[in-house]
Amino acid sequence: MEIMKNIEIIDLGLYLKQYKTLILTDFHMGFEETLNKQGILVPRFQLDKTLKRLERIFLKVQPETIVINGDLKHEFSTISETEWLNTLKLVDYLLKNCKTLILNRGNHDTILEPIIKKRNLKINDYTKIKEVYITHGDRIPNNNDFKESKIIIIGNEHPAVALKEEGRRETYKCFLKGKFQEKVLIVQPSFNLVTEGTDILREDVLSPFLHQDLSYFEIYVIGKDKVYNFGKIRNIN
């Protein structure tokens, strides 16, 4: 489904068709291990499910460039054994499916460099492709590239929406599209498959880009095999 001209939602990815660029965000590799340390026991399925979900995306598009828009791994100040192994396996898989892999810095990426140096990669503060400015979303940039851009794509927020279904609430990952200043703002859901994310209808938002009236933002819900345009937030019960 096109979220706007030449920008298509492909499952949890966002595809810039004109530039053959796929944007993915917020994998948070190693998240299971963090939960286990907190006494929340979850099975180790994150990497396996992530690769299978990515495979579905690559059956639909063959990007020349992939941008990971922040928070590739989860821990702030250390690198767990799981993060070392799974992050490198994920990076290797993505490198096999594109010509160029670009990494943007997220707020969880304070100690990512030792891992990505193993694959001769570096990390950027943002990526600009013509009129599109891709940044993690935990802070508002102040540079000419940002000021001159027309479209902003962020992660960070992990948007989801809880909807009533047969008397119970089910939570689904979703995209948001609205405005920031005079620019189009697209908020991408996380690729962390251990959790759905933040219910933007009922929970406080984190990203400074979203500290505004969100009632006119559009919601695009990611279903099992289809994307659903639910219209504006203000019209959802």
Side-chain angles (χ1 to χ4, degrees):
M1 174 182 286
E2 280 198 339
I3 195 168
M4 60 183 299
K5 186 178 179 180
N6 287 322
I7 301 181
E8 187 174 2
I9 295 172
I10 308 289
D11 194 61
L12 299 176
L14 202 61
Y15 189 58
L16 309 184
K17 292 190 288 186
Q18 186 176 357
Y19 309 116
K20 296 182 179 179
T21 297
L22 177 68
I23 305 167
L24 308 166
T25 191
D26 293 279
F27 284 93
H28 288 269
M29 300 308 296
F31 186 65
E32 301 155 315
E33 188 165 338
T34 300
L35 291 178
N36 288 335
K37 288 177 181 178
Q38 296 171 354
I40 305 170
L41 300 181
V42 295
R44 302 290 180 96
F45 62 79
Q46 186 178 13
L47 177 64
D48 184 56
K49 282 198 171 184
T50 297
L51 296 183
K52 288 180 179 178
R53 190 112 183 209
L54 285 168
E55 185 178 355
R56 286 164 46 185
I57 292 176
F58 293 131
L59 287 173
K60 297 178 179 178
V61 293
Q62 294 77 47
E64 293 184 358
T65 301
I66 295 175
V67 178
I68 299 179
N69 196 17
D71 289 358
L72 177 56
K73 63 183 283 296
H74 184 69
E75 288 283 359
F76 287 99
S77 58
T78 187
I79 304 175
S80 69
E81 182 179 355
T82 300
E83 285 179 330
W84 268 110
L85 294 173
N86 289 358
T87 301
L88 283 175
K89 287 179 181 178
L90 173 59
V91 166
D92 287 343
Y93 180 79
L94 293 173
L95 286 169
K96 289 179 181 177
N97 285 278
C98 67
K99 295 179 180 178
T100 304
L101 179 61
I102 298 173
L103 305 180
N104 284 352
R105 188 181 301 278
N107 55 307
H108 281 253
D109 294 324
T110 54
I111 190 170
L112 181 62
E113 279 86 350
I115 300 178
I116 62 175
K117 281 181 180 178
K118 297 287 186 181
R119 299 299 183 265
N120 296 316
L121 297 170
K122 63 179 183 178
I123 191 165
N124 305 316
D125 289 330
Y126 65 92
T127 299
K128 188 171 186 291
I129 304 174
K130 299 297 184 178
E131 74 280 12
V132 181
Y133 191 97
I134 307 163
T135 185
H136 185 59
D138 56 313
R139 65 191 69 179
I140 296 173
N142 183 23
N143 56 58
N144 287 334
D145 280 344
F146 179 75
K147 293 172 183 176
E148 294 169 1
S149 64
K150 297 179 180 179
I151 302 167
I152 307 165
I153 297 172
I154 68 170
N156 183 240
E157 191 60 46
H158 303 197
V161 59
L163 302 171
K164 283 186 177 180
E165 187 174 297
E166 297 180 355
R168 62 180 182 179
R169 289 193 183 277
E170 294 285 346
T171 303
Y172 301 89
K173 293 179 182 289
C174 68
F175 286 80
L176 303 177
K177 185 180 79 170
K179 291 281 189 179
F180 179 80
Q181 297 171 357
E182 297 302 314
K183 308 175 191 297
V184 176
L185 174 63
I186 300 175
V187 189
Q188 197 167 345
S190 78
F191 222 107
N192 180 355
L193 302 182
V194 182
T195 177
E196 293 299 337
T198 301
D199 183 359
I200 50 91
L201 298 180
R202 296 166 183 85
E203 300 179 52
D204 293 335
V205 295
L206 296 174
S207 173
F209 282 95
L210 298 178
H211 292 168
Q212 57 168 300
D213 180 8
L214 302 181
S215 60
Y216 285 90
F217 273 62
E218 295 176 49
I219 293 183
Y220 294 80
V221 173
I222 308 304
K224 185 176 181 180
D225 299 305
K226 187 177 178 181
V227 180
Y228 300 88
N229 185 347
F230 270 64
K232 292 180 173 55
I233 288 178
R234 65 176 187 154
N235 297 326
I236 298 176
N237 295 326

